Amino acid sequence: MLTRIDHVGIACHDLEEKIAFYESTFGLIVASREVNEEQGVKEAMLHVADGPAGSSYVQLLEPLHPDTPVGKFLAKRGEGVHHVGYGVDDVTAALEAIGAKGVRLLDERPRHGSMGASIAFLHPKDVGGVLTELVQARRLEH
Amino acid sequence: MLTRIDHVGIACHDLEEKIAFYESTFGLIVASREVNEEQGVKEAMLHVADGPAGSSYVQLLEPLHPDTPVGKFLAKRGEGVHHVGYGVDDVTAALEAIGAKGVRLLDERPRHGSMGASIAFLHPKDVGGVLTELVQARRLEH
């Protein structure tokens, strides 16, 4: 069902500073920057690798306000890994299959994620403390 | 420098239970099980995807004793993402380059990791709260 590690989502206080760090230290390159008002974050996707099922990224997340999920995470835990996103071919089918196993879905239906993807989150308490995201990448038009 | 997301390392209380969960819920398959006395863990690598630079895994980690790095992590933070491992072609060269940027190295020299890899950890305080591992996969003999 999972086709790749799509990204590791990392919460930070200062997006620009962390982008510069990942660029300078690890040679990563920014593939996309977005502001997602719905999720209350500004973010960047830094490209790590390409694979047969799609690419892998480091996603850096800075909260738009303290009273957002990432803002609350930072206040409680400090900077660090916020979630893990796995690629799937069909996020709707994956949600149905995973929900049928008894895992609570934070998103019953897919919503818009980074870079045009359709995404959904699973409840971390049902996935061993890991906030887990399913990512169906945007189909590129040829 | 980074060639892939090699693995996400997830700390758990009960390795067998979490293996069964990841197999059943996400269809992952165990590629390797090991006990690493040096790191004080028993662990499993669950295969997610193959790519040009190597494979990606979910690594599940159960501490052998409470007084180990993963045991202390669990006591403090509970189950969840413990570290992120990135693939590199040459871990010695990568350590040198990253150390030269001022990032503290938890391992000055590579040591033995899962599945015959040479690995080294970077100090999480210098990588935005993320315990970061560099992984040079074992070269397969042909």
Side-chain angles (χ1 to χ4, degrees), chain A residues 1-8 10-11 18 21-22 24-28 48-53 56-58 73 77-81 83-84 86 97-98 101 103 122 126-130 132 134, chain B residues 1-8 10-11 18 21-22 24-28 48-53 56-58 73 77-81 83-84 86 97-98 101 103 122 126-130 132 134:
Chain A
M1 176 192 294
L2 307 183
T3 61
R4 67 191 181 283
I5 301 176
D6 183 86
H7 66 272
V8 178
I10 296 170
K18 279 296 180 303
F21 172 81
Y22 272 87
S24 164
T25 308
F26 298 119
L28 300 188
V48 178
D50 295 316
S56 295
Y57 303 91
V58 168
F73 175 92
R77 307 280 294 252
E79 292 188 325
V81 177
H83 69 270
V84 179
Y86 298 101
I98 291 167
K101 298 283 184 181
V103 173
L122 310 178
D126 291 345
V127 192
V130 180
T132 300
L134 306 175
Chain B
M1 177 191 295
L2 307 182
T3 62
R4 67 192 181 282
I5 301 176
D6 183 86
H7 65 272
V8 178
I10 296 171
K18 278 298 181 302
F21 171 80
Y22 272 87
S24 164
T25 308
F26 297 120
L28 299 189
V48 178
D50 296 317
S56 295
Y57 303 92
V58 168
F73 176 93
R77 308 278 296 250
E79 293 188 324
V81 177
H83 68 269
V84 179
Y86 298 102
I98 291 167
K101 298 283 184 181
V103 173
L122 311 179
D126 291 346
V127 193
V130 180
T132 300
L134 306 175

Side-chain angles (χ1 to χ4, degrees), chain B residues 5 10 32 34 48 59 66 69 73-74 78 83 91 110 115 138:
Chain B
I5 301 176
I10 296 171
S32 161
E34 292 181 39
V48 178
Q59 182 184 47
F73 176 93
L74 282 174
H83 68 269
V91 65
M115 305 177 72
R138 185 179 55 174

